[in-house]
Protein backbone atom coordinates (compact mmCIF):
# COMPACT_ATOMS: atom_id res chain seq x y z
CA UNK A 1 0.00 0.00 0.00
CA UNK A 2 1.22 3.48 -0.73
CA UNK A 3 0.80 5.98 2.12
CA UNK A 4 2.13 9.39 3.01
CA UNK A 5 4.67 9.23 5.83
CA UNK A 6 6.19 12.15 7.74
CA UNK A 7 9.78 13.26 7.35
CA UNK A 8 11.57 13.00 10.69
CA UNK A 9 13.61 16.15 10.10
CA UNK A 10 10.84 18.42 8.78
CA UNK A 11 7.74 18.83 10.96
CA UNK A 12 4.61 18.80 8.82
CA UNK A 13 6.38 17.48 5.71
CA UNK A 14 5.21 14.18 4.24
CA UNK A 15 6.24 11.97 1.32
CA UNK A 16 4.71 8.87 -0.30
CA UNK A 17 6.18 5.52 0.73
CA UNK A 18 5.39 1.84 0.17
CA UNK A 19 4.05 0.23 3.36
CA UNK A 20 4.05 -3.54 3.99
CA UNK A 21 0.49 -4.87 4.15
CA UNK A 22 1.65 -7.52 6.64
CA UNK A 23 3.69 -5.68 9.29
CA UNK A 24 2.61 -2.08 8.41
CA UNK A 25 6.24 -0.86 8.29
CA UNK A 26 7.79 0.99 5.36
CA UNK A 27 9.43 -1.16 2.69
CA UNK A 28 12.97 0.10 2.16
CA UNK A 29 15.08 -1.95 -0.23
CA UNK A 30 13.74 -5.39 -1.08
CA UNK A 31 10.00 -5.89 -1.30
CA UNK A 32 7.31 -7.35 -3.51
CA UNK A 33 4.04 -6.39 -5.12
CA UNK A 34 1.82 -9.49 -4.77
CA UNK A 35 -1.54 -10.48 -6.25
CA UNK A 36 -3.47 -13.53 -7.39
CA UNK A 37 -5.46 -14.16 -10.54
CA UNK A 38 -8.08 -16.88 -10.89
CA UNK A 39 -7.85 -19.15 -13.90
CA UNK A 40 -10.91 -18.70 -16.05
CA UNK A 41 -13.36 -21.53 -16.33
CA UNK A 42 -15.47 -21.32 -19.51
CA UNK A 43 -16.96 -17.83 -19.76
CA UNK A 44 -16.29 -16.63 -16.22
CA UNK A 45 -15.18 -13.01 -15.94
CA UNK A 46 -11.55 -12.33 -15.09
CA UNK A 47 -10.96 -12.22 -11.34
CA UNK A 48 -8.01 -10.68 -9.54
CA UNK A 49 -7.25 -9.97 -5.90
CA UNK A 50 -6.31 -6.52 -4.67
CA UNK A 51 -2.64 -5.66 -5.02
CA UNK A 52 -0.57 -6.12 -1.86
CA UNK A 53 2.92 -4.93 -0.97
CA UNK A 54 5.15 -6.87 1.39
CA UNK A 55 8.65 -7.33 2.68
CA UNK A 56 10.33 -10.50 1.47
CA UNK A 57 10.58 -13.68 3.56
CA UNK A 58 8.58 -13.64 6.83
CA UNK A 59 6.08 -10.97 5.81
CA UNK A 60 5.70 -12.57 2.37
CA UNK A 61 5.00 -15.98 3.93
CA UNK A 62 2.45 -14.47 6.32
CA UNK A 63 0.72 -12.68 3.44
CA UNK A 64 0.49 -15.90 1.42
CA UNK A 65 -1.05 -17.67 4.43
CA UNK A 66 -3.62 -14.89 4.68
CA UNK A 67 -4.38 -15.03 0.95
CA UNK A 68 -4.84 -18.81 1.10
CA UNK A 69 -7.88 -18.27 3.33
CA UNK A 70 -9.65 -15.97 0.88
CA UNK A 71 -8.15 -17.02 -2.47
CA UNK A 72 -7.13 -20.70 -2.16
CA UNK A 73 -4.63 -22.04 -4.67
CA UNK A 74 -6.65 -25.26 -4.90
CA UNK A 75 -9.57 -23.19 -6.24
CA UNK A 76 -7.64 -22.12 -9.36
CA UNK A 77 -6.00 -18.99 -7.93
CA UNK A 78 -2.44 -18.41 -9.15
CA UNK A 79 0.24 -16.38 -7.33
CA UNK A 80 1.91 -13.45 -9.05
CA UNK A 81 4.58 -11.11 -7.71
CA UNK A 82 6.98 -8.48 -8.93
CA UNK A 83 10.01 -6.92 -7.29
CA UNK A 84 8.80 -3.62 -5.83
CA UNK A 85 11.37 -1.54 -7.72
CA UNK A 86 10.37 -3.13 -11.07
CA UNK A 87 6.68 -2.72 -10.23
CA UNK A 88 7.14 0.99 -9.45
CA UNK A 89 9.07 1.56 -12.70
CA UNK A 90 6.26 -0.10 -14.67
CA UNK A 91 3.64 1.92 -12.81
CA UNK A 92 5.54 5.14 -13.46
CA UNK A 93 5.79 4.30 -17.16
CA UNK A 94 2.05 3.65 -17.33
CA UNK A 95 1.22 7.13 -16.03
CA UNK A 96 1.59 8.41 -19.60
CA UNK A 97 0.41 5.42 -21.60
CA UNK A 98 -2.04 2.56 -21.42
CA UNK A 99 -0.60 -0.97 -21.73
CA UNK A 100 -3.95 -2.01 -23.22
CA UNK A 101 -3.31 0.35 -26.15
CA UNK A 102 0.28 -0.87 -26.63
CA UNK A 103 0.09 -3.98 -28.82
CA UNK A 104 3.82 -4.80 -28.71
CA UNK A 105 4.14 -4.19 -24.94
CA UNK A 106 7.01 -1.72 -25.27
Amino acid sequence: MIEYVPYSSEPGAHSPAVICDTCRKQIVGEGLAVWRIKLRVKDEPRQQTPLYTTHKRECEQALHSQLNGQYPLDENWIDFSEEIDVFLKQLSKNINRSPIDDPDGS
Side-chain angles (χ1 to χ4, degrees):
M1 171 182 300
I2 297 174
E3 294 181 7
Y4 272 86
V5 297
Y7 282 113
S8 61
S9 62
E10 294 180 49
H14 292 74
S15 183
V18 179
I19 305 299
C20 178
D21 286 305
T22 304
C23 72
R24 303 292 307 139
K25 294 181 183 171
Q26 184 176 345
I27 298 173
V28 178
E30 291 187 345
L32 295 170
V34 176
W35 67 101
R36 287 187 177 176
I37 294 176
K38 189 170 188 179
L39 285 177
R40 286 188 188 185
V41 178
K42 296 185 181 180
D43 293 329
E44 284 184 357
R46 182 178 185 274
Q47 295 182 56
Q48 179 176 317
T49 67
L51 179 72
Y52 300 92
T53 56
T54 185
H55 291 103
K56 290 187 174 182
R57 293 172 262 307
E58 291 90 14
C59 289
E60 178 185 5
Q61 291 171 359
L63 177 62
H64 283 293
S65 293
Q66 176 188 342
L67 291 176
N68 286 337
Q70 221 175 345
Y71 310 101
L73 295 174
D74 62 358
E75 291 183 12
N76 295 326
W77 288 95
I78 300 173
D79 276 325
F80 286 90
S81 66
E82 185 72 75
E83 298 286 334
I84 200 74
D85 60 335
V86 173
F87 171 79
L88 291 172
K89 286 176 190 171
Q90 292 172 340
L91 182 63
S92 177
K93 184 176 181 181
N94 290 337
I95 295 294
N96 296 311
R97 71 170 184 105
S98 170
I100 294 169
D101 299 329
D102 189 1
D104 67 355
S106 60

